[in-house]
Amino acid sequence: MAAVPQPKVAFFCMEYGLDEAFPIYSGGLGVLAGDILKTARDLNLPMVGVGILWSEGYSDQFLDQHGFPQHCRQTYDRSHLEDTGVTVNLWIRGEDVTCKVWKTEAFGNVPLYLLDTDFPGSHHGWITRQLYASPAQERVAAEMVLGIGGVRALDKLGLTPDIYHLNEGHAVFAGLELIRQKLSRGLSFEHAWEETRQQIVFTTHTPVMAGNEEHNHGLLRHMGAWVGLEYDQAARIGGDPFNMTVAGLRLSYISNGVSSLHGATARAMWRGNPGTAPIISITNGVHVETWQNKLIQQTYNVQGNLWKAHLQVKKKLLEEVENRTGVALDLDALTIGFARRAAAYKRSGLIFHRPHVIEPLLKNRTIQLVFSGKAHPEDDWGKQIVANIAEMAYKFPDSVVFLENYNMALGRLLTSGCDVWLNTPQRPLEASGTSGMKAALNGVLNLSVLDGWWPEGCLHGVTGWQFGGGYEGPEQTMVDALSLYEVLLEEVIPTYYEDKARWQEMMRASISMAMHRFSTKHMLTLYYNLMYQPSTTLRKIKHDVLAAAAIQ
């Protein structure tokens, strides 16, 4: 048998964070997708991305005079987008919807094809107006454009992927479209489904139930999302109500969670659903060239003085803090960073849990806290989380700051300029958490709950610190808070102020760990070896065996 070439992969995702100048992403999922497309280009892999051109970006977010986040519509430069001249049509809610297909390779990425319904003369601009719009009909319509429209766009562009990688449940209607195409060629539903499964791999990203979408079948029928399938066929794939994650697992040959711990959590979560693909663990990574500060990289490579280099990078962060807030933080004080999408399970206020412990440290500036984060424009709970942090910055004006309008540029500054990166999710709800990997790459030491990727990267007191001991029982927040204070007071603060040599050793260990084990190069290699190649090889063997049998 001839050697199997690298499988051609089409990567489907609802959001892509390629650059802060192109804000069609909301957070970690999109930034990871952007990092994957850049890495595919670096490694010269045959991959393309499929997504949506959101007309509004994810929105700019600033605090009003009461310290509450307000949104304004983002506009952005589109000059890097190339009009492919291709359009595709699909029926949504009984109407014929046309999608334009744009392409960009402007950010060192493999081709990314973006579908757009918001162009002059279109009556359907509402579909691609805003990322993760909350009205159910808008959400389903966008998911139809991504999945069904995305498959049709690839066909029209003359691209024939060996593998359709559905990144998160938003893209699963692609599987229904692939089944529909096979049914139209005369295959039975069983046969069409089985053949489609051989073409799809699926990544599930969140153990948070709200992140695993469900849709009512009445709504799906009304929208046209069944795409010609019968109710009982759609229900066999996604259940009733139609669960997008279950559908992804039943439409794929293999699937993955995004860290070792998350893989185990996902297997336990979805165990009761027969006919689902095996869930393996492939831990996320980050694109080193995007996220590692050049000065830190050069200093690390020549075995130079990392602390000296770090202070230069930290100075840049503190200058930005002063420009934005007017607060002059102390270059020599221990500076702890926390920047996340505003979600309750991330527990951004955990460090304030016991005021009598934390307030003296803030008042005498033993520590300084730099926060950033964004809430979804329609998430009132998330906005309240941001407002609570802003209130702490108001209460401790010299030692707590909140930086508005979090984006990739600010993410790069924070994950390279802080001394410590704090991560406080409620275990096991943080599937991966790539911001900590970015910090680790820059020698910013992680202080984190043993959740997401950190159980794989943490050597306590060597690459960073853990607190909470992986405890998941009752009173988890209290246990974690007390443990956080203990580690902070007895290990982190003394090492920072009294043992710079050890701190620098830990920085080096952190960088080494992140570069070797948590890069998207490492991750994509595993995607190809564990998910893409086996399916492609199996299909080629079946094809060769059948061809040989036909000759005999």
Side-chain angles (χ1 to χ4, degrees), residues 70 87 108 110 126 144 198 214 250 365 368 383 401 423 514 534:
Q70 301 296 337
T87 60
V110 291
W126 58 274
M144 290 171 69
Q198 299 301 319
E214 287 191 339
R250 287 194 180 134
R365 293 180 87 168
Q368 303 172 139
K383 288 180 190 174
V401 292
N423 188 34

Side-chain angles (χ1 to χ4, degrees), residues 334 350-351 353-354 356-358 361 367 422 447 460 465-469 477-495:
L334 174 59
L350 187 75
I351 194 162
H353 193 266
R354 292 283 164 105
H356 69 278
V357 179
I358 196 69
L361 299 175
I367 64 169
L422 181 64
L447 172 60
H460 186 82
W465 298 271
Q466 66 82 21
F467 59 90
T477 292
M478 188 186 74
V479 169
D480 286 346
L482 296 180
S483 177
L484 166 58
Y485 295 141
E486 189 181 350
V487 175
L488 186 61
L489 290 165
E490 293 179 15
E491 298 188 60
V492 181
I493 290 171
T495 308

Side-chain angles (χ1 to χ4, degrees), residues 125-445:
W126 58 274
I127 298 175
T128 59
R129 180 183 61 86
Q130 186 193 51
L131 176 61
Y132 304 134
S134 40
Q137 293 204 12
E138 287 188 31
R139 195 72 172 255
V140 171
E143 289 168 341
M144 290 171 69
V145 165
L146 175 63
I148 300 161
V151 170
R152 292 179 187 175
L154 293 170
D155 291 345
K156 254 195 150 169
L157 289 158
L159 299 168
T160 51
D162 298 304
I163 297 287
Y164 295 82
H165 185 154
L166 309 185
N167 192 39
E168 196 49 279
H170 311 119
V172 301
F173 296 135
L176 303 192
E177 168 64 8
L178 291 169
I179 290 174
R180 181 199 67 78
Q181 291 180 356
K182 294 174 182 67
L183 292 174
S184 71
R185 296 203 308 266
L187 264 64
S188 69
F189 173 69
E190 298 295 339
H191 198 168
W193 185 2
E194 189 43 47
E195 271 201 15
T196 296
R197 283 190 71 163
Q198 299 301 319
Q199 298 174 279
I200 291 177
V201 305
F202 175 67
T203 299
T204 175
H205 277 270
T206 179
V208 180
M209 254 351 238
N212 294 281
E213 270 180 89
E214 287 191 339
H215 296 303
N216 175 294
H217 274 285
L219 171 67
L220 296 186
R221 186 180 61 239
H222 173 66
M223 299 301 291
W226 290 349
V227 71
L229 270 60
E230 304 293 331
Y231 159 76
D232 61 324
Q233 294 170 335
R236 280 182 62 194
I237 291 168
D240 188 354
F242 189 90
N243 184 296
M244 301 293 269
T245 305
V246 171
L249 292 168
R250 287 194 180 134
L251 284 164
S252 55
Y253 145 87
I254 192 165
S255 65
N256 74 294
V258 291
S259 67
S260 288
L261 180 63
H262 175 238
T265 303
R267 285 189 288 278
M269 249 178 108
W270 305 111
R271 190 182 289 139
N273 297 280
T276 51
I279 302 172
I280 63 171
S281 296
I282 298 179
T283 304
N284 285 342
V286 296
H287 185 248
V288 174
E289 292 72 10
T290 298
W291 296 103
Q292 190 172 45
N293 181 281
K294 295 293 172 275
L295 178 63
I296 296 292
Q297 189 175 50
Q298 288 156 8
T299 309
Y300 173 80
N301 288 341
V302 299
Q303 303 276 310
N305 184 327
L306 277 171
W307 182 251
K308 204 170 143 193
H310 170 68
L311 280 181
Q312 288 184 50
V313 182
K314 183 177 179 181
K315 194 161 177 258
K316 278 194 177 137
L317 170 64
L318 300 195
E319 282 166 4
E320 183 68 15
V321 168
E322 190 164 5
N323 286 342
R324 284 171 174 244
T325 65
V327 178
L329 294 178
D330 180 355
L331 183 66
D332 296 322
L334 174 59
T335 303
I336 299 174
F338 183 103
R340 302 284 186 283
R341 193 168 47 79
Y345 76 87
K346 293 181 186 275
R347 300 189 300 185
S348 55
L350 187 75
I351 194 162
F352 301 115
H353 193 266
R354 292 283 164 105
H356 69 278
V357 179
I358 196 69
E359 291 187 2
L361 299 175
L362 294 170
K363 283 177 178 155
N364 64 23
R365 293 180 87 168
T366 303
I367 64 169
Q368 303 172 139
L369 300 175
V370 183
F371 286 91
S372 191
K374 251 188 194 175
H376 184 277
E378 291 161 14
D379 177 8
D380 292 333
W381 186 248
K383 288 180 190 174
Q384 190 55 55
I385 291 169
V386 170
N388 293 347
I389 295 296
E391 195 181 327
M392 297 315 281
Y394 183 74
K395 190 174 174 185
F396 300 99
D398 298 327
S399 50
V400 180
V401 292
F402 177 80
L403 302 179
E404 300 168 76
N405 209 31
Y406 184 44
N407 64 5
M408 284 176 71
L410 198 46
R412 275 196 302 278
L413 261 179
L414 286 162
T415 54
S416 60
C418 292
D419 299 310
V420 165
W421 197 249
L422 181 64
N423 188 34
T424 54
Q426 182 185 338
R427 179 181 155 121
L429 299 181
E430 183 71 272
S432 180
T434 49
S435 68
M437 300 173 185
K438 294 159 193 164
L441 265 185
N442 289 295
V444 173
L445 300 179

